[in-house]
Amino acid sequence: MNREKYSRQILFPPIGAEGQDKLLESRAVILGCGALGTAQANALTRAGVGTLRIVDRDFVEESNLQRQILFDEADARERLPKAIAAARKLNQINSEVKVEGVVEDVDNRNIEKLVSGFQVVLDATDNFEARYLLNEAAVKHGLPWIYGAVVASYGMTMTILPERTACLACLFPAAPEGAHETCDTVGVIGPAVSWVAAIQVTEALKILLGRRQELHGTMLAYDIWKNQLQEIRPRQDPQCRVCGAREFAYLNRTGPTHTSLCGRDSVQIHAAAARQLDLADLRIRLEPFGRVRANEFLLVFAVDAYELTVFSDGRAIVKGTHDPAVARSVYAKYIGA
Ligand SMILES: [Zn+2]
């Protein structure tokens, strides 16, 4: 084994040679591969965490490059799925790490399968619903996970050890109502992402090394622009619907959500049932109606004021509207219901 690669962190006593061997045998999964996910994946790959799975539903766009550190202009031009572009880059950074890029939207039908067999989950999602889902899956299976969220210059993180610490629902019993600030409305700066990811990765390393007594044990919030730090020690709520009553409302919800908002001016359409689209065939069918571009993972179809990005499993992102009904009808018209 090539130890030279890791010599500087082997010198760090809490890791050492034994810890490095442990990391190389470890398995971590990252949900989301935007700003937080690319920063986490970069650090874990360089640290030699042996197996890494990265799950993301989206493709690389130019507006990502300011903060999503694994992507470049060519990825955006080719519209590569983020999970694929990240996995390719990570293989060049450290070929010893087994990186698996999964192009899927995390939902209640697949989350348990996606996190099963891993020792820790790093949250790099961008919405409350996905985090509640992750929290429930983690509590159900006793899996540690590390919450992280960033908007503008402000970020938050907390490490959740089921049955040992508070869970996300102990702290936030319900998602905030109405519109709340997102990176699509108020922006985000790279350094705010970096600190959250740095803490999440440090906590993940402690968990993988079996050094749970060294976890920070708080809910940390920091505004890196204003230099305002808040720290609270969350308490487990015995009445918590998730870790107390073990009611998994998000996980057990019946009926798939057919659409979801996905950034500003976009709606995601979930295929009602699993289907396999032949993208080459679809391309020929759509070409008379508008401009079509494709790579081996997805197809982009521009028609009227809309742009549809269609994945081979039937999922699509419709840009040019925030109205689910409009998006569904555009989808039905060109891709088929
Ligand atoms: Zn709880």
Side-chain angles (χ1 to χ4, degrees), residues 205-216:
L205 294 177
K206 291 174 192 170
I207 289 169
L208 297 174
L209 291 165
R211 303 179 75 97
R212 292 185 178 198
Q213 69 285 1
E214 291 166 43
L215 295 168
H216 61 67

Side-chain angles (χ1 to χ4, degrees), residues 29 52 56 94 102 125 164 185 206 210 235 245 272 298 311 335:
V29 53
L52 200 57
D56 192 276
N94 189 351
V102 179
T125 64
R164 303 268 303 276
T185 57
K206 291 174 192 170
R235 244 187 274 150
L298 55 84
F311 296 83
I335 313 300

Side-chain angles (χ1 to χ4, degrees), residues 39-257:
Q40 295 161 0
N42 176 60
L44 291 173
T45 299
R46 289 180 192 275
V49 169
T51 303
L52 200 57
R53 173 180 286 170
I54 304 168
V55 187
D56 192 276
R57 67 184 183 188
D58 222 338
F59 53 87
V60 183
E61 293 177 279
E62 201 180 14
S63 66
N64 302 149
L65 304 183
Q66 157 256 355
R67 65 197 180 284
Q68 302 187 10
I69 60 170
L70 292 175
F71 307 137
D72 58 34
E73 292 178 355
D75 299 328
R77 261 196 312 275
E78 290 175 44
R79 293 197 174 221
L80 280 180
K82 290 181 177 183
I84 301 295
R88 286 183 183 172
K89 208 68 49 88
L90 294 165
N91 276 324
Q92 294 171 342
I93 290 170
N94 189 351
S95 57
E96 210 167 1
V97 171
K98 287 192 280 301
V99 182
E100 182 196 6
V102 179
V103 186
E104 271 186 50
D105 184 39
V106 177
D107 62 26
N108 63 341
R109 292 168 294 180
N110 62 12
I111 188 162
E112 290 174 271
K113 173 178 64 85
L114 288 169
V115 302
S116 155
F118 288 84
Q119 295 163 277
V120 64
V121 189
L122 290 93
D123 169 28
T125 64
D126 60 359
N127 63 83
F128 253 97
E129 186 162 336
R131 291 186 179 107
Y132 280 130
L133 195 57
L134 167 54
N135 187 53
E136 291 182 3
V139 168
K140 182 174 172 187
H141 297 284
L143 188 61
W145 75 281
I146 307 165
Y147 163 72
V150 189
V151 66
S153 57
Y154 178 78
M156 288 197 284
T157 178
M158 176 169 88
T159 302
I160 290 141
L161 303 177
E163 293 186 12
R164 303 268 303 276
T165 67
C167 82
L168 188 69
C170 290
L171 227 69
F172 305 109
E177 277 186 34
H180 44 274
E181 292 180 333
T182 72
C183 297
D184 291 310
T185 57
V186 297
V188 60
I189 56 170
V193 174
S194 306
W195 88 259
V196 174
I199 292 185
Q200 288 180 287
V201 167
T202 308
E203 294 280 282
L205 294 177
K206 291 174 192 170
I207 289 169
L208 297 174
L209 291 165
R211 303 179 75 97
R212 292 185 178 198
Q213 69 285 1
E214 291 166 43
L215 295 168
H216 61 67
T218 64
M219 167 80 159
L220 275 169
Y222 183 54
D223 189 314
I224 204 167
W225 197 267
K226 298 175 184 158
N227 189 32
Q228 289 170 347
L229 179 72
Q230 287 174 298
E231 210 173 346
I232 59 160
R233 202 160 275 276
R235 244 187 274 150
Q236 216 172 340
D237 175 5
Q239 311 293 320
C240 174
R241 64 177 166 81
V242 179
C243 69
R246 295 184 73 84
E247 282 167 12
F248 305 124
Y250 283 81
L251 211 47
N252 297 334
R253 193 164 45 192
T254 48
T257 43

